[in-house]
Amino acid sequence: MNLPSLRQLRFLVALDDELHFSRAAERCFVTQSTLSSGLKELEDLLGAPVAERTKRSVMMTPLGRDLADRARGVLADVGEMVELAQREAGTLRGPLRLGSIPTIGPFLFPRLMPRLRRDFPELRLYLREELTESLIDGLRAGRLDVILIALPFDIGDLASESLFMDGYQLASAPEHPLAGPDPVHGADLDDETLLLLERGHCLQRHALAAFPESHARQDESFAATSLATLIAMVEEGVGITLLPQLVIDAGAARHAEIALTPLEGAWPREVILAWRKSSARAEDFAVLAEILREERARLGGDAR
């Protein structure tokens, strides 16, 4: 019996996720023609189409969706076979695909990489920045090995290890009434609107939940795609926002002319490392978690 190749299964999963040939090809690091040819070969092997194609859209057939779900499990199982072999070969060796949300990775990875290169020279680390839901989907599908995310967020049956609690400070223009040495309480924000990241970023939800009893609301006329944009808007006096302590300790706002004011009683987000319970590299992830804690501690703040 002729069987599909792992490459064809990767192409199938990417197309099911993206519903776009160009994006699916980019995700698989191949040309669009290579991806199309691979999927055509898969359809010829199966004797049935996996997708309906028009000039403007792609729609998976019922068979294609079912096969893509099964392919995710196959790819995850094969990845775990490789992980098992790597674990036997030693700690943090071989390829490791680490995903992170954009409000954590850029502020820890620059400190993490030099240490990993020094202490684990045989490790090949591949970094991805995506939103939380995409990271969890990628982890379950075997596209990623381990992810760096923040709670509260429903992670289902994933294994995880807590790294540190990350609080906030209020960022405002220096002349704003709330700027100053005295801590800000939730009630102080009742009449305020916050500049926040666009929906889909967990930090957007976390910031609104930092003071559950407060009536602070999001400025619906504006949403940023990055923390750098938020900081620039605050500096121009457009509004105020909450910045995670990790971001502040990493120096992201160091050269901005903004005021940072302590927050009293704000609920912090919990930064964790998560992986599949079936992964054979749990010991590797425990080592990585400890390194991340230590590097966070060197930045300062409430690190465990």
Side-chain angles (χ1 to χ4, degrees):
M1 178 186 297
N2 291 327
L3 298 175
S5 67
L6 293 178
R7 192 171 193 240
Q8 290 169 340
L9 295 184
R10 290 192 191 96
F11 290 173
L12 177 65
V13 169
L15 186 64
D16 185 50
D17 286 342
E18 301 292 344
L19 294 179
H20 192 281
F21 274 88
S22 179
R23 291 197 298 268
E26 181 180 349
R27 178 166 150 178
C28 294
F29 303 102
V30 298
T31 64
Q32 185 172 333
S33 61
T34 298
L35 182 124
S36 297
S37 297
L39 289 171
K40 181 63 169 61
E41 292 169 0
L42 176 62
E43 290 178 326
D44 290 343
L45 177 65
L46 297 171
V50 298
E52 297 178 15
R53 306 159 175 84
T54 68
K55 290 185 178 180
R56 295 186 178 180
S57 66
V58 176
M59 184 171 64
M60 302 299 289
T61 65
L63 174 66
R65 290 194 297 271
D66 184 35
L67 292 179
D69 287 340
R70 293 170 184 264
R72 290 184 179 92
V74 171
L75 293 171
D77 287 343
V78 172
E80 284 160 15
M81 291 170 59
V82 176
E83 289 175 1
L84 180 61
Q86 290 168 348
R87 185 185 66 177
E88 295 300 319
T91 302
L92 288 176
R93 299 178 68 177
L96 180 66
R97 297 162 298 176
L98 169 61
S100 174
I101 56 175
T103 57
I104 296 177
F107 309 103
L108 278 181
F109 289 163
R111 301 186 62 89
L112 177 68
M113 289 301 298
R115 180 168 175 183
L116 290 179
R117 285 176 174 170
R118 182 192 70 216
D119 296 345
F120 304 97
E122 296 185 52
L123 175 68
R124 298 199 308 277
L125 189 61
Y126 299 89
L127 303 176
R128 295 281 301 181
E129 284 184 21
E130 301 174 14
L131 301 184
T132 305
E133 289 183 357
S134 178
L135 290 173
I136 291 177
D137 289 344
L139 185 61
R140 295 190 189 280
R143 180 169 56 84
L144 297 169
D145 300 312
V146 62
I147 57 176
L148 190 59
I149 58 175
L151 304 181
F153 200 95
D154 182 11
I155 64 170
D157 60 351
L158 295 177
S160 67
E161 188 160 340
S162 180
L163 301 181
F164 55 88
M165 305 303 291
D166 194 25
Y168 305 92
Q169 291 194 45
L170 177 71
S172 67
E175 63 274 11
H176 192 277
L178 293 178
D182 296 330
V184 169
H185 299 78
D188 298 325
L189 299 176
D190 279 350
D191 297 324
E192 299 290 340
T193 56
L194 301 176
L195 302 177
L196 298 174
L197 295 177
E198 64 183 355
R199 285 178 172 80
H201 287 269
C202 61
L203 184 58
Q204 184 255 3
R205 297 190 294 274
H206 293 166
L208 288 173
F211 289 105
E213 77 286 355
S214 172
H215 296 95
R217 57 196 181 279
Q218 180 173 1
D219 186 339
E220 297 293 345
S221 68
F222 172 85
T225 58
S226 72
L227 285 169
T229 301
L230 275 185
I231 293 170
M233 293 298 101
V234 170
E235 188 173 20
E236 291 298 319
V238 176
I240 62 175
T241 193
L242 305 187
L243 288 182
Q245 192 63 45
L246 169 65
V247 174
I248 295 169
D249 290 345
R254 184 175 298 139
H255 302 296
E257 295 183 7
I258 62 175
L260 295 172
T261 306
L263 295 172
E264 188 77 26
W267 286 17
R269 60 178 185 168
E270 181 181 7
V271 178
I272 67 168
L273 201 63
W275 60 91
R276 297 180 300 276
K277 285 184 178 179
S278 59
S279 175
R281 304 184 73 176
E283 293 180 9
D284 276 2
F285 302 147
V287 172
L288 181 61
E290 187 57 32
I291 293 172
L292 286 164
R293 286 191 198 94
E294 291 172 1
E295 294 306 320
R296 174 64 184 99
R298 289 191 176 97
L299 280 174
D302 181 25
R304 298 185 194 178

